[in-house]
Amino acid sequence: MTSPAPKPWEHAKSGGSEADPLAARFVESLSYDTRLYDADIRGSLAHARMLEASGLITPEDLAAIERGLAEIRREIESAPAGPTAVGVPGAWPGWRVELEDVHMCIEAALVEKVGDAGRRLHTARSRNDQVALDLRLWLRDAMQAAAAAADKVLESLESLAERQGDLVLPSYTHLQRAQPIALGGELMAWHAMLSRDRAEFLRLACASAAESPLGSGAVAGTSLPIRREQTAEALGFGGPSASAIDATASRDEALDALYAMSRCAMHLSRLAEQWILYCSTEFGFLTLAEAYTTGSSMMPQKRNPDMLELIRGRCGSVYGRLVSLLTICKGLPLAYNRDLQEDKRHLFAAYDTLMDSLAMTSRIVATATFHEVGGLDRGHLDATSLAEYLVNKGAPFRTAHQIVGSLVRRCDASGRHSLSQLTLEEINAAIAEAGVKGSRASRDVQEWLGAANVVRRYRSEGNAGRSGYREALARAIQARRARASEPEAETTRKSGPEAGPPPSLFGEPLVTGKDRHAQAAAEAERYASAYAAVGRTLDDLPYTEEFETLYRNLGAEEAGLTRRDVFHRLHNLRKAGKLPRAGRAATAPPRITPEEEAALRAMVESAVGTLGQRDQLPYTPKFDELVEAFNARVGRQTDRHTVWRLVAKLAK
């Protein structure tokens, strides 16, 4: 028998795992990591272009690598069985299990196509920093996709609230009836939970782009003259990672993503549990569409909420993936260890489970029908409302609580199930017994009793009655419309070399290689100089004459750049540490109340996800709408610059 060819990374040995089928199967990750092919090719293109700019490969090598990787991408994506299928008819032939993983399969295919140019691609790179990079690029896309999937559930909740939000339901604490609410109030509670999840996914998409591990090598870096800043910028990162050891050994981004997915799965599981109860005969609040129930193999009458039960059950598997990766990481010495290969097994499985659960939840919510709830006069849901009525009549709340408690006992003892069945005389007698002087109930007390009256009376911000849910729903719909009218956000644009180089900042012809790097440095320096000249901090700059001066001095309009483009470039330079500390804030933001701060924070989070993404707002229609909504809320005429200063202050 002929011995298998040695693997490219095992020349110090006479043989490897390919000699034993079990060892080959045990060590491979190709069966689940082929979904990284796009990230791997993007990273390789950026790395190759950096090597050429650094003089480590020739322009001819770069051209061959670019051509070969483009061919490989086309072959993978046109495979009849799909781009990620392995070992089945129609799979891309380059997926060879003996090469262990996606990275080596693509490299081997490249070498077959372009020869030595393909062998030079791995210069100053290890599989360790390669997989760390690919994982972060995949996470960026995956978290954006998860945010979009969560947004579909939010849209379904909004639609259901628009259709049926005014229905009155009991709320529950300890699974006992508490206060009456509007259905819309409950729906917007689920909306609030999943809005936080959506915002967290978007935050993680940005966080995964903070530092590029590419160029860290196997553990300690390289003695070759590489330019890590170039690959970081080309791939949309804020800059290169600070520690080569940490960059290759850390899986914090994966753990953060798994926690966010676990929390979202928990929210879906809670909704599923609530709705499973609601569609039982005992509750009878809800009917699910037939497509999302199943029958019984024995009992002909059954319509079981199996999809909701599976959402509830699969939450546990997402939790398990988080605990598994935490356990893998807990005892690892520095730096890279092969244990970390298992990260993708857990991350991908959790992601797939969550994405299916989000899609199913969206469909269930979109087709659900709630019903009028009978018996809302049972359980004394209006007891708190009666206590608040007495507070309005001058009674201290604790005394009012005592009075209503005695009236509940009176109802229960006399077989009356509703406080509205009490006579005015009985209510006033209880007030007198409590020693409250100068306070009496009158006939208007009936306007405070009964679930429907209570739901109409709620007035506090965020209440679960009609006014509260309608206000929350209006904000959510307004934010959705703003997102729909806004051009695709920078964080969701596909980054990477295959999308082409970034547009020139000053309308000059684009160049490649060393000249491109020099041009980027010159452009950054020009921006930094223009910024220093205006003498105003970045958070104090938007919507000022100083910004207009900077915009003119850069010649941005002639170059076809908008004010939003210029502000984003300044923000990115600040993140990369390339913007000087210059000037001071010319104005201080005005003082506003804690309630106004909370309202502004909610508006920003509805618009862009988190305060950390606030820099997406200036010079957009979305921000103009936010300013208008804020002024309507607080009854002021605050200009855009001042509102921006308030937003920047909140973020700090």
Side-chain angles (χ1 to χ4, degrees), residues 12 91 149 172 214 251 260 273 296 369 500 516 522 573 643:
Y172 295 85
L214 187 58
R251 289 299 182 267
E273 169 69 6
S296 163
T369 302
R516 185 199 312 165
L573 288 171
V643 174

Side-chain angles (χ1 to χ4, degrees), residues 332-347:
L332 292 183
L334 290 175
Y336 180 83
N337 295 271
R338 195 62 177 262
D339 314 49
L340 292 175
Q341 176 175 297
E342 296 295 292
D343 61 351
K344 292 171 287 298
R345 188 189 301 275
H346 299 297
L347 185 63

